[in-house]
Amino acid sequence: MKIKAIESFILSDKLKESFYFSQWEYSERRICIVKVTSDTGHVGWGEGYGPAGVIKAGIEFLTPFLIGLNPLETEVVWSIMYHRTLDYARSGILVSALSAIDVALWDLKGKIMEQPVHLLLGGKKRDTITPYATGMYFTNGGKLSDILSKEAKQYAELGYKAMKMKVGLCIEEDIENVKVVRETIGPNIALMIDANHAYNLREAIQLANAVEQYNIGWFEEPISPEYYKQYAELRTKTSIPIAGGECEYLRFGFQTLLQSKSVDIIQPDICATGGLTEAKRIEPLASVYGVEVIPNTWGTGIAISAALHFVSNMDSIPGRLKPPNCFIEYDRTENRLREELTITDMVAKNGEIKISDKPGLGFEFNEDVLHKYTLKE
Ligand code: CA
């Protein structure tokens, strides 16, 4: 069996309403999707997390080394991609390109073997996963705390047991927004905050101390990801768990994060950090340090499905009779690509997502939608 073709596509969709976070504004969705076809006619789909055009260039760089390889040998293919990129990029976009191809290969392997990816990863250790709604970005057009409160109320009414909001605008406003959202959703829904590394250590401590009273599930990327020691210091100054790692690549990046005792929760993005193959190495590494793994997920149904299969296979650490909720990030911001590209029964219902036993990543891919949104060169 051989890899016959690798094709990549840049999809773009202008948003009806732009939104922003602490770093920049989103006015469109743009993503690089990869299609891998075997000589048996089977197809697998992957996507990369990050700037789509650069990821596409990375995929095109890797493709000639992979045509003719056995698609079932995911580790062999991974290893070739890794060694071909190591000298130029031990982290960053080339690793995202590798990740996109790796995710597509796992989907393809599942389709060829007619088995769900969770089974190929070693088995499903849980049937359902708790999605936390990611949203509550910043928008214009009214009082922000009112807008955020309305959005939080919608998630609560839809049955979400957890949600994550943006902070990082300015501390005073953040505190007010967090207060309003907590009051809106009541005490029983988990609430997380994400600053997208907007703050320095002093500011992060100030915000953490001010919002501790609102029972925050975790404080994500409070500080720039380079400052490992400052993350470690922040952990000693707050009882809120600290999360990070969406900007780390490969097990080596996570080793640095774990060794420096920077975070309580690591957040590898499967479509950036080395694909499912590497995520399966990062998870046991985190378990050695007793640190939780909750993947970062952003993008289309491909990325979400890959994360769902991965999380369903993760070990529960520590084991106990009634294990805690196992979370998956579930972006709820406007994204037609996410809604239209894949058809899946893995959707949130009453605050849970049931894991599919369908082959591969468990979705049907709509190629008409792919072509509708593909940028023409
Ligand atoms: Ca984040």
Side-chain angles (χ1 to χ4, degrees), residues 191-307:
L191 176 64
M192 285 72 93
I193 59 172
D194 183 359
N196 296 94
H197 50 79
Y199 290 128
N200 62 29
L201 176 61
R202 176 179 49 76
E203 293 166 325
I205 293 170
Q206 194 189 338
L207 178 59
N209 290 342
V211 298
E212 248 175 22
Q213 58 183 308
Y214 304 118
N215 190 17
I216 303 301
W218 69 72
F219 187 178
E220 180 171 325
E221 286 202 304
I223 308 167
S224 196
E226 289 95 347
Y227 300 118
Y228 298 100
K229 282 187 181 162
Q230 293 196 349
Y231 268 83
E233 192 178 338
L234 175 62
R235 286 185 65 215
T236 68
K237 302 269 165 67
T238 175
S239 66
I240 301 175
I242 301 300
E246 68 182 79
C247 304
E248 295 291 345
Y249 293 86
L250 305 171
R251 76 203 94 124
F252 307 102
F254 282 94
Q255 170 80 337
T256 308
L257 193 61
L258 292 161
Q259 271 180 339
S260 57
K261 298 183 181 173
S262 299
V263 291
D264 298 280
I265 299 158
I266 62 164
Q267 301 173 300
D269 190 301
I270 290 161
C271 294
T273 198
L276 282 162
T277 301
E278 189 69 356
K280 272 290 278 179
R281 296 166 179 151
I282 292 167
E283 187 229 332
L285 179 66
S287 78
V288 172
Y289 289 84
V291 169
E292 249 180 282
V293 182
I294 304 176
N296 182 72
T297 313
W298 181 257
T300 76
I302 302 171
I304 296 170
S305 300

Side-chain angles (χ1 to χ4, degrees), residues 67-343:
I67 300 297
L69 297 180
N70 185 340
L72 300 178
E73 294 183 336
T74 38
E75 284 187 19
V76 174
V77 179
W78 194 96
S79 182
I80 288 169
M81 293 195 286
Y82 173 64
H83 288 290
R84 283 285 174 180
T85 53
L86 177 62
D87 291 54
Y88 319 110
R90 289 159 63 214
S91 64
I93 290 299
L94 273 177
V95 185
S96 295
L98 171 160
S99 306
I101 295 172
D102 181 79
V103 167
L105 284 173
W106 278 93
D107 186 34
L108 179 60
K109 180 149 93 168
K111 303 261 181 61
I112 293 168
M113 298 179 81
E114 297 181 352
Q115 297 294 339
V117 166
H118 61 70
L119 189 131
L120 302 178
L121 290 170
K124 191 168 55 173
K125 295 172 193 155
R126 55 191 63 76
D127 284 319
T128 58
I129 295 169
T130 308
Y132 71 83
T134 285
M136 292 177 276
Y137 278 68
F138 310 132
T139 46
N140 297 316
K143 191 174 174 221
L144 185 58
S145 59
D146 290 347
I147 295 169
L148 296 176
S149 163
K150 199 174 151 205
E151 190 180 338
K153 192 162 175 270
Q154 284 168 358
Y155 297 140
E157 284 168 358
L158 286 167
Y160 287 100
K161 296 170 183 166
M163 57 184 82
K164 188 169 81 185
M165 64 183 292
K166 291 294 169 187
V167 292
L169 204 52
C170 79
I171 291 175
E172 292 70 28
E173 222 174 315
D174 289 342
I175 296 167
E176 173 62 17
N177 291 340
V178 172
K179 175 175 179 279
V180 167
V181 168
R182 174 49 86 198
E183 283 169 0
T184 303
I185 63 176
N188 298 326
I189 294 175
L191 176 64
M192 285 72 93
I193 59 172
D194 183 359
N196 296 94
H197 50 79
Y199 290 128
N200 62 29
L201 176 61
R202 176 179 49 76
E203 293 166 325
I205 293 170
Q206 194 189 338
L207 178 59
N209 290 342
V211 298
E212 248 175 22
Q213 58 183 308
Y214 304 118
N215 190 17
I216 303 301
W218 69 72
F219 187 178
E220 180 171 325
E221 286 202 304
I223 308 167
S224 196
E226 289 95 347
Y227 300 118
Y228 298 100
K229 282 187 181 162
Q230 293 196 349
Y231 268 83
E233 192 178 338
L234 175 62
R235 286 185 65 215
T236 68
K237 302 269 165 67
T238 175
S239 66
I240 301 175
I242 301 300
E246 68 182 79
C247 304
E248 295 291 345
Y249 293 86
L250 305 171
R251 76 203 94 124
F252 307 102
F254 282 94
Q255 170 80 337
T256 308
L257 193 61
L258 292 161
Q259 271 180 339
S260 57
K261 298 183 181 173
S262 299
V263 291
D264 298 280
I265 299 158
I266 62 164
Q267 301 173 300
D269 190 301
I270 290 161
C271 294
T273 198
L276 282 162
T277 301
E278 189 69 356
K280 272 290 278 179
R281 296 166 179 151
I282 292 167
E283 187 229 332
L285 179 66
S287 78
V288 172
Y289 289 84
V291 169
E292 249 180 282
V293 182
I294 304 176
N296 182 72
T297 313
W298 181 257
T300 76
I302 302 171
I304 296 170
S305 300
L308 283 165
H309 281 265
F310 173 74
V311 172
S312 78
N313 168 253
M314 274 189 344
D315 275 339
S316 274
I317 296 176
R320 58 185 190 235
L321 183 61
K322 290 186 179 173
N325 286 336
C326 212
F327 285 123
I328 179 112
E329 180 162 22
Y330 204 55
D331 170 31
R332 295 293 84 203
T333 56
E334 183 192 341
N335 187 351
R336 272 183 293 214
L337 305 178
R338 184 191 64 224
E339 299 305 320
E340 296 177 20
L341 211 51
T342 51
I343 303 153

